């Protein structure tokens, strides 16, 4: 059995999602926005486990990523939260920054959990910005005038 006491891994806590949706129905005059909020992105958590004694699990799978938050949907439906990534390490593990001098966390007891990276907060759907007076965007109205009819008036 190989023993590994130092492993370099690359982690990513992902972004969250949002939704843009408009309610449209034949006999509903002002349908308006109805997009639900997006789900929260997943966190990256380290947990000290008693049954591990080496970091060999992280030697060959160095890139890890938490789950994405799902986008919201129409009819004010919110999206699902992303799954968190729990990385189990031996008790006594120190998590170091890239310079290998700055200690970010020290997992000294069994079951200790440290959230190292937080996932993104769920994005607001467009229903969040709706109010009683601002239910939907009004169509832009343009006044188009034909100048050719006036060009002959008043000329000598």
């Amino acid at each position: 059995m190989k023993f590994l006491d130092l492993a370099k891994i690359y982690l990513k806590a992902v972004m969250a999602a949002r939704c843009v949706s408009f309610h449209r129905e034949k006999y509903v005059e002002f349908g308006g926005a109805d997009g639900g909020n997006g789900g929260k992105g997943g966190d990256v958590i380290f947990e000290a486990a008693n049954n591990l004694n080496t970091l060999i699990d992280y030697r060959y799978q160095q890139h890890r990523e938490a789950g994405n938050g799902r986008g919201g949907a129409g009819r004010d439906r919110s999206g699902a939260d992303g799954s968190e990534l729990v990385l189990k390490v031996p008790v006594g593990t120190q998590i170091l920054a890239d310079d290998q001098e700055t200690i970010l966390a020290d997992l000294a007891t069994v079951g200790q959990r440290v959230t190292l990276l937080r996932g993104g907060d769920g994005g607001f759907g467009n229903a969040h910005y709706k109010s009683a007076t601002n239910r939907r965007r009004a169509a832009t109205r343009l006044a188009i005038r034909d100048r050719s009819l006036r060009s002959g008036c008043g000329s000598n």
Side-chain angles (χ1 to χ4, degrees):
M1 178 175 163
K2 287 189 173 185
F3 183 78
L4 187 67
D5 65 343
L6 182 66
K8 185 173 187 175
I9 58 175
Y10 303 93
L11 302 173
K12 182 177 178 185
V14 295
M15 301 292 287
R18 62 179 174 83
C19 176
V20 177
S21 172
F22 289 93
H23 180 80
R24 294 178 53 92
E25 210 171 323
K26 185 174 183 179
Y27 295 109
V28 177
E29 185 177 1
F30 296 106
D34 72 342
N37 296 334
K40 178 184 173 303
D43 298 337
V44 176
I45 299 171
F46 282 89
E47 182 177 0
N50 198 19
N51 58 349
L52 296 175
N53 59 6
T54 181
L55 298 173
I56 196 71
D57 298 338
Y58 304 108
R59 180 180 179 114
Y60 299 108
Q61 191 175 2
Q62 296 177 349
H63 295 272
R64 304 284 181 109
E65 182 177 302
N68 282 326
R70 302 291 298 265
R75 292 196 234 153
D76 293 326
R77 290 178 292 180
S78 296
D81 292 342
S83 60
E84 59 186 24
L85 175 65
V86 179
L87 301 171
K88 296 192 183 280
V89 293
V91 177
T93 300
Q94 291 181 339
I95 301 169
L96 305 174
D98 241 0
D99 60 3
Q100 294 189 6
E101 292 180 7
T102 308
I103 298 175
L104 301 176
D106 188 6
L107 301 169
T109 60
V110 176
Q112 183 179 356
R113 291 171 65 110
V114 174
T115 303
L116 193 66
L117 299 173
R118 273 191 65 230
D121 292 332
F124 291 134
N126 63 346
H128 176 80
Y129 301 106
K130 177 173 66 174
S131 67
T133 57
N134 184 19
R135 297 204 37 97
R136 69 173 185 169
R137 293 182 189 165
T140 306
R141 297 183 186 188
L142 299 175
I144 300 173
R145 199 178 315 186
D146 192 359
R147 292 277 185 192
S148 62
L149 295 175
R150 295 180 159 215
S151 62
C153 298
S155 59
N156 299 21

